[in-house]
């Protein structure tokens, strides 16, 4: 009896309130089994836990996390030292309190965030099934043939049977068994929470063929009672995060069928357009694909954080050096004054010189610890969070997104900062790696031009018909009407000589070879069918076929319906060969026309089986009948050669290919996305059945060999087809992309466009986007494709592979040394020819020529751009082509890569085409590792995720390809044009604000520590503190914490318009304008001079009892310390005021509140009589502040000292050593004054 059955027989229901660790029992093939008899299944739990803490472990785990910061460890050590009896010159509580405060703030922040995670977890884990108003279940878990809606999500187990209702979120990963669609058992799901796509995805329960009749394998499982005693077994792959791949095998009633992602229902997806569906649970809890994808992003740290850590280490080293100096002074003072100063002689003789050194080390470790500001780390966290909020609230970065049909999608959206830790990193970007489609372009495809082969033409000029599509121009529709075509073409073993047949195959390809579905629009205002799908290209192509008389009307998982001139035809979907980035094509096998009968689809007398293919020209044209391809001869030159073993098609090879190849080049040259269309009648039933059998067998494989077997089947089928034409899709640039690109390049940022398109298309889009300019720029081309005869081929015998590898290594050595150097000693025979071929390639359009041209262009002051492709980069990027072993070849690759990096440092932009997603990520990673510069990657689709994850800063575009790029990004923006404001304004302000926050925090604490050090020379290096312990503690983390916090939120060095429109202002930020050695000197040198002047002047005054003498009370150390601390706070606030450039009420309030807070604290603290510890401060503040000289001193040091020292230095710098920012501000002020006078006139 199963656990679920025991549960229903009286055992108390209890949710799995903790997450059980799943134990997957894998077969020898690396697969797992799922049974409807749950006693056979692996241990599992559907409990979701995204929170980090529980109540019982929050304190230890949070403290462990917070002590991962070196600053917290430092202050913890300081606290421990303060607790040593007789060591601390101040009360230990004043060392404990600041650390506890900082830890408490961090703990409160973590607890708040984790509380919301717990709430989300509770929502998911307690989610029950749906019920009617009368309480009867609509969905839930099937138990003993009955539906139970009360079972919470956490109690669902692997092997449970779930009934899912319309609009319900699916609570586990489920294999679809049946649905309310009695004919096809289709179910539609919306995966918005997983990939951001709102279009409905169709799923169909597994089907089987019996007696030549195809039906659903589990079609009888449509009621809860039907599952009573049913034995279902699923063999499938272990849990994974891949949303697009899943394979398994379903066994029911002795029959087994392969299942894949088309039968898979994700946890977190929603059932739509389907009343109900049944399924068996495959994965639970943390094993589901939703949770597997819910991974933290790769950790990234801003450059300012790294520099801050270095600064902390330098400060720690300085602190140790100062402590050692004070300890040495203490020993020297002891030795010099022992027995001479009677009133402290006891203390001088209390310890030996060594013991004195040791105890003073501990004492001064506490005293000088104020050198490091403990409040800084809380302040920086708050400022970065506030800066991220300001980015999200920026109305100038808000826009309304449009779908593929141009209709608005939801409410207007703005910037979405997802990682505030990298705010300042936006100001020092050197390289931008950008996707093309959907990032620079709209990703709203519009059909531009088509070309259809005309077998009736005898020369290239008449061998095809070109047509355009607009709402008013439907050339093909007119042609079909003239020819009175109302039916599909027939099947011929060879190319049909009729042009109209090619036209029909072309239009049928557009209307049938896709993965679209019909948009279910309840509010549609017309009868026109609207399409939806993950690919905007397919939507655009289907619209063209629709407008020209061949309309896609409906789709089920087993059939598609089209209408030719109004007459409907049904085609059975036999097999689908999905698109892969490796093949760069997709195809579909159909059988029809068919008739719908009560027994299913029956073929008509004219029914044929055929294959439709569409894909990249480089893939389709290399596999068609009469195929001709461009082949490199190893010397860098390419020749057109016929593909061996390709079936002949004289008309295509001799007549249509020249036209088509030329047409594709021209279309790509104007920036259009091209596809080649083809078809293949499958008239040999026996041959097809043999292939189909092997394909079905490959689909049933569950394990690592499945992909290889599938690829072999695809390769066998996708050959020897007939090309019927090509399409060209226009993807318009987004608004203000050219202006944005031009501005970024002027700012000194090198922009690389990474795309999978052909070179001609990429160059044209780059030119339109002003990424390159063929008329005025120097273009450098790199072309070093590894000859096919030298590439790795694991299918060859070992000896042939070794010859290929040897030739490849020799070719690489020659490519890296094109000047004619002697080859390595092992280069002999055929390898010598390969070496010479590599040298010939290297002398052509490659590194030597490109470097020379780029350097010459730089000397002329001319912009320069680099253009290359994925094949060339495969040669250049370490470790080079697959299979190379010799060190000389590896050294050659490394040498070429360093030359490439040198070239990349010269050019202003680059175009990299024919890249795979993996290559994009590899380029960004290796680029950053080699240059050490900050790289930003921006994209909109899942194919851009690798480079977004690898970059220092990842930016996602909220586009039409789902939200995977946004989820992987650090910052998400609606349009590419907003990148300009994100970098120039928000990046700049974040760097400036965080820098001034850090530098001011260190400045005020260095002043405090320096005063203690100066005082040590007057107190015999005894470790006596000048300041009251509580004043010292609150000064470190409270009295002067508001001004840097507010400056870190609202301060601006220049106004927004100037920051956004002056690209030259951005370039100096990468050189460390606000956080370099010069900036540190501006703050840290005064941090030594100001307290020295302040201490000497106040000390000389205090010798004469100047403060408080009128009351008859002589000046003591408490009043002296209060006076100096007050003057320090005033001086620090005036110093900060000198650097503030954007005054507003918040800045003024922060500065005033800081001084008032200090005064009020002194008054309150001084009015309290303390009966424990040190009570010497009682009434001290009243005596000190009652004297007018106290306030005059503050005014003198605040206005006088800063005015006398800082103002002349600031004027001198701006007058004689101005920064670009200073010059721009001066011009802006002159223009503003001119406009004011003009308005007055």
């Amino acid at each position: 009896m199963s656990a679920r059955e025991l549960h229903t027989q009286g055992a108390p229901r209890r949710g799995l309130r903790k997450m059980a660790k799943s134990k997957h029992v894998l077969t020898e093939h690396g697969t797992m089994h799922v049974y409807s008899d749950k006693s056979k299944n692996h241990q599992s739990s559907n409990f979701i836990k995204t929170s980090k803490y529980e109540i019982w472990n929050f304190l230890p785990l949070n403290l462990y996390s917070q002590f991962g910061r070196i600053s917290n460890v430092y202050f913890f050590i300081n606290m421990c030292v303060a607790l040593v009896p007789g060591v601390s010159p101040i009360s230990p509580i004043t060392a404990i309190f600041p650390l506890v405060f900082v830890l408490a703030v961090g703990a409160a922040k973590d607890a708040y965030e984790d509380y919301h995670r717990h709430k989300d977890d509770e929502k998911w884990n307690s989610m029950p099934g749906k019920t009617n108003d009368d309480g009867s279940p609509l969905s839930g878990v099937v138990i003993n043939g009955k539906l139970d809606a009360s079972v919470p999500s956490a109690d669902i187990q692997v092997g449970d049977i779930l009934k899912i209702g319309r609009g319900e979120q699916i609570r586990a990963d489920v294999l679809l068994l049946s649905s309310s669609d009695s004919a096809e058992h289709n179910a539609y799901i919306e995966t918005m929470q997983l990939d951001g796509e709102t279009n409905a995805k169709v799923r169909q329960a597994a089907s089987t063929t019996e007696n030549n009749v195809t039906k659903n394998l589990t079609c009888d499982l449509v009621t809860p009672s039907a599952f009573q005693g049913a034995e279902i077994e699923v063999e499938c792959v272990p849990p994974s995060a891949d949303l697009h791949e899943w394979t398994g095998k379903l066994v029911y009633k002795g029959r087994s069928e392969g299942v894949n992602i088309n039968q898979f229902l994700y946890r977190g997806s929603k059932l739509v357009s389907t009343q109900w569906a049944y399924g068996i649970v495959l994965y639970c809890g943390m094993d589901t694909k939703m949770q597997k994808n819910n991974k933290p992003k790769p950790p990234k740290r801003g450059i300012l954080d790294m520099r801050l850590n270095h600064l902390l280490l330098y400060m720690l080293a300085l602190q140790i050096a100062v402590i050692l100096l004070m300890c040495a002074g203490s020993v020297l003072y002891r030795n010099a004054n022992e027995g001479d100063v009677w009133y402290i002689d006891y203390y001088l003789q209390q310890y030996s010189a060594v013991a004195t050194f040791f105890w003073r080390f501990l004492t001064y470790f506490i005293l000088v610890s104020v050198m490091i500001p403990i409040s800084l780390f809380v302040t920086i966290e708050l400022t970065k969070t506030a800066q991220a909020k300001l980015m999200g609230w920026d109305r100038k970065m808000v826009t309304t997104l449009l779908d593929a049909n141009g209709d608005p999608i939801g409410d207007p959206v703005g910037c979405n900062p997802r990682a505030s830790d990298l705010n300042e990193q936006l100001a020092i970007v050197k390289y931008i790696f950008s996707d093309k489609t959907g990032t620079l372009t709209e990703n709203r495809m519009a059909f531009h031009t088509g070309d259809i082969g005309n077998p009736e033409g005898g020369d290239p000029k008449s061998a095809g018909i070109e047509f355009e599509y607009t709402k008013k121009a439907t050339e093909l529709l007119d042609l079909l009407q003239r020819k009175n075509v109302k039916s599909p073409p027939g099947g011929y073993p060879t190319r049909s000589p009729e042009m109209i047949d090619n036209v029909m195959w072309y239009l049928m390809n557009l209307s049938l070879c896709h993965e679209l579905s019909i948009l279910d629009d309840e509010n549609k205002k017309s009868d026109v069918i609207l399409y939806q799908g993950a690919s905007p290209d397919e939507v655009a192509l289907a619209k063209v076929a629709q407008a020209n008389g061949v309309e896609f009307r409906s789709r089920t998982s087993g059939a598609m319906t089209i209408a030719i001139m109004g007459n409907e035809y049904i085609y059975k979907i036999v097999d689908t060969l999905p698109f892969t980035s490796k093949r760069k094509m997709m195809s579909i096998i159909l059988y029809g026309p068919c008739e719908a009968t009560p027994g299913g689809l029956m073929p008509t007398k004219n029914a044929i089986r055929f294959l439709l293919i569409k894909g990249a020209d480089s893939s389709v044209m290399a596999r068609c009948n009469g195929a001709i391809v461009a082949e490199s001869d190893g010397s860098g030159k390419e020749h057109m050669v016929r593909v061996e073993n390709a079936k002949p098609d004289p008309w295509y090879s001799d007549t249509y290919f020249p036209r088509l190849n030329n047409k594709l080049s021209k279309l790509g040259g104007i920036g259009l996305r091209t596809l080649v269309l083809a078809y293949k009648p499958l008239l040999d039933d026996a041959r097809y059945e043999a292939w189909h059998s092997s394909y079905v067998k490959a689909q049933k494989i569950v394990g690592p060999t499945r992909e290889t077997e599938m690829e072999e089947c695809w390769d066998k089928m996708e050959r020897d087809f007939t090309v019927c034409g090509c399409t060209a899709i226009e993807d318009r640039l987004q608004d203000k992309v050219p202006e944005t690109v031009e501005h970024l390049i002027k700012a000194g940022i090198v922009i690389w466009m990474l795309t999978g398109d052909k070179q001609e298309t990429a160059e044209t889009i780059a030119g339109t986007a002003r990424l390159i300019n063929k008329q005025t720029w120097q273009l450098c081309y790199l072309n070093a494709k590894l000859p096919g005869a030298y590439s790795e081929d694991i299918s060859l015998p070992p000896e042939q592979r070794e010859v290929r590898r040897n030739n490849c290594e020799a070719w690489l050595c020659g490519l890296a040394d094109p000047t004619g150097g002697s080859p390595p000693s092992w280069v002999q025979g055929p390898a010598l020819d390969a070496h010479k071929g590599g040298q010939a390639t290297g002398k052509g359009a490659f590194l030597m020529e490109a470097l020379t041209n780029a350097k010459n262009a730089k000397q002329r002051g001319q912009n320069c751009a680099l253009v290359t492709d994925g094949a060339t980069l495969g040669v250049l990027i370490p470790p080079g082509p697959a299979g190379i072993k010799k060190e000389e070849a590896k050294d050659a690759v490394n040498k070429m890569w360093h030359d490439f990096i040198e070239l990349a440092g010269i050019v202003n932009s680059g175009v990299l085409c024919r890249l795979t997603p993996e290559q994009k990520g590899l380029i960004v990673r290796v680029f950053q590792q080699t240059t050490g510069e900050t790289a930003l990657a921006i994209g909109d689709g899942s194919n851009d995720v690798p480079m977004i994850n690898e970059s220092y800063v990842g930016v996602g575009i909220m586009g039409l390809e789902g939200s995977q790029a946004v989820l992987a990004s650090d910052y998400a923006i609606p349009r590419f044009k907003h990148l300009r404001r994100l970098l120039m304004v928000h990046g700049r302000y974040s760097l400036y604000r965080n820098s001034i926050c850090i530098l001011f925090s260190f400045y005020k604490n260095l002043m405090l520590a320096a005063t203690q050090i100066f005082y040590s020379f007057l107190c015999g290096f005894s470790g006596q503190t000048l300041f009251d312990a509580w004043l010292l503690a609150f000064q470190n983390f409270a009295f002067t914490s508001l001004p840097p916090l507010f400056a870190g939120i609202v301060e601006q060095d220049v106004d927004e318009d100037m920051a956004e429109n002056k690209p030259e202002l951005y370039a100096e930020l990468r050189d460390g304008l606000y956080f370099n050695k010069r900036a540190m000197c501006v703050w840290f040198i005064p941090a030594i001079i100001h307290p020295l002047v302040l201490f000497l002047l106040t000390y000389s005054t205090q010798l004469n009892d100047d403060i408080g003498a009128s009351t008859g009370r002589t000046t003591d150390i408490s009043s002296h310390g209060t006076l100096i601390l007050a003057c320090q706070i005033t001086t620090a606030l005036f110093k900060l005021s000198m650097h503030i450039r954007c005054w507003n009420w918040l800045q003024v309030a922060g500065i005033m509140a800081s001084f008032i807070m200090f005064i009020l604290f002194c008054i309150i603290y001084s009015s309290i009589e303390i009966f424990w510890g040190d009570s010497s401060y009682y009434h001290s503040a009243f005596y000190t502040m009652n004297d007018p000289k106290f306030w005059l001193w503050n005014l003198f040091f605040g206005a006088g000292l800063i005015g006398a020292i800082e103002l002349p230095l600031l004027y001198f710098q701006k007058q004689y050593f101005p920064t670009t920012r200073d010059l721009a501000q001066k011009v802006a002020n002159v223009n503003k004054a001119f406009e004011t006078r003009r308005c007055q006139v």
Side-chain angles (χ1 to χ4, degrees), residues 1089-1235:
I1089 297 176
H1090 291 171
L1092 178 61
V1093 175
L1094 189 153
F1095 179 79
L1096 293 177
L1097 291 178
T1098 54
Y1099 176 72
S1100 63
T1101 304
Q1102 295 285 294
L1103 285 176
N1104 298 317
D1105 293 335
D1106 192 54
I1107 296 290
S1110 61
T1111 64
R1113 183 180 187 275
T1114 58
T1115 303
D1116 60 6
I1117 193 171
S1118 296
S1119 59
H1120 189 193
T1122 303
L1123 173 62
I1124 292 181
L1125 189 58
C1127 292
Q1128 280 193 5
I1129 292 175
T1130 305
T1131 303
L1133 294 177
F1134 267 90
K1135 167 77 172 176
L1136 179 62
S1137 301
M1138 296 290 296
H1139 288 267
I1140 289 178
R1141 297 169 179 268
C1142 178
W1143 283 99
N1144 52 50
W1145 68 269
L1146 196 61
Q1147 301 264 49
V1148 174
I1151 291 176
M1152 294 180 64
S1154 291
F1155 189 77
I1156 293 173
M1157 187 189 304
F1158 167 73
I1159 298 299
L1160 290 177
F1161 180 87
C1162 289
I1163 293 173
I1164 295 171
Y1165 176 39
S1166 183
S1167 63
I1168 300 174
E1169 186 175 2
I1170 299 177
F1171 297 101
W1172 68 94
D1174 186 7
S1175 62
S1176 61
Y1177 200 76
Y1178 184 57
H1179 273 222
S1180 176
F1182 292 102
Y1183 289 109
T1184 304
M1185 297 180 185
N1186 194 43
D1187 195 316
K1189 299 184 188 68
F1190 172 84
W1191 306 100
L1192 291 174
W1193 270 115
N1194 278 280
L1195 183 62
F1196 170 77
F1197 280 110
L1201 184 62
I1202 297 297
I1205 298 177
E1206 292 291 321
L1207 274 178
L1209 291 176
L1210 191 60
Y1211 173 81
F1212 184 80
Q1213 178 265 314
K1214 287 181 175 291
Q1215 190 69 23
Y1216 299 103
F1217 301 98
T1219 62
T1220 307
R1221 178 202 61 189
D1222 295 331
L1223 296 175
Q1225 190 70 60
K1226 185 176 181 179
V1227 172
N1229 292 337
V1230 171
N1231 293 337
K1232 186 176 181 180
F1234 175 78
E1235 285 295 324

Side-chain angles (χ1 to χ4, degrees), residues 109 320 491 539 598 698 876 951:
K109 172 178 172 290
I320 298 298
V539 174
L876 292 175
S951 63

Side-chain angles (χ1 to χ4, degrees), residues 1023-1044:
Q1024 171 67 43
T1025 177
L1026 178 61
F1027 307 110
D1028 180 84
W1030 283 106
L1031 293 182
L1032 189 66
F1034 275 83
Q1035 159 65 1
N1036 194 11
F1037 80 95
F1039 293 150
T1040 50
S1041 59
L1042 287 181

Side-chain angles (χ1 to χ4, degrees), residues 43 48 121 163 215 230 297 637 887 1019 1181:
Q43 179 183 345
I48 290 293
D121 292 346
K163 182 181 182 182
K215 65 176 183 178
K297 294 180 294 186
K637 298 180 180 179
E887 290 301 323
C1019 67

Side-chain angles (χ1 to χ4, degrees), residues 1000-1020:
F1000 174 75
S1001 298
F1002 275 101
Y1003 163 79
K1004 66 183 181 64
N1005 279 62
L1006 275 174
M1007 285 183 66
L1008 200 61
T1011 304
Q1012 294 276 26
I1013 295 168
F1014 298 148
Y1015 179 66
S1016 295
F1017 286 89
L1018 300 180
C1019 67

Side-chain angles (χ1 to χ4, degrees), residues 688-704:
Y688 168 76
E689 291 298 337
W691 176 88
H692 179 71
S693 176
S694 62
Y695 188 53
V696 171
K697 183 178 180 181
Q699 288 178 308
K700 292 182 180 180
I701 296 176
V702 184

Side-chain angles (χ1 to χ4, degrees), residues 584-653:
K584 297 181 181 179
M585 67 170 74
M586 76 156 290
S587 53
I588 186 170
I589 299 176
L590 301 167
Y591 186 41
C594 297
E595 293 180 351
T597 66
L601 293 178
M602 300 300 294
T604 64
K605 62 179 182 179
N606 297 323
I608 61 169
R609 188 184 292 109
F610 57 92
L611 173 77
L612 297 177
I613 311 103
K614 69 176 180 185
D617 57 304
S618 58
S619 299
V620 176
M621 294 172 67
R623 292 169 168 268
C624 67
N625 292 334
I628 299 177
V629 296
E631 180 67 38
S632 173
D633 59 4
S635 64
K637 298 180 180 179
E638 291 187 343
H639 304 279
M640 293 295 176
V641 296
R642 294 180 183 271
V643 176
E644 295 182 7
N645 303 322
K647 287 188 176 180
D649 186 345
W651 177 81
Y652 170 80
S653 303

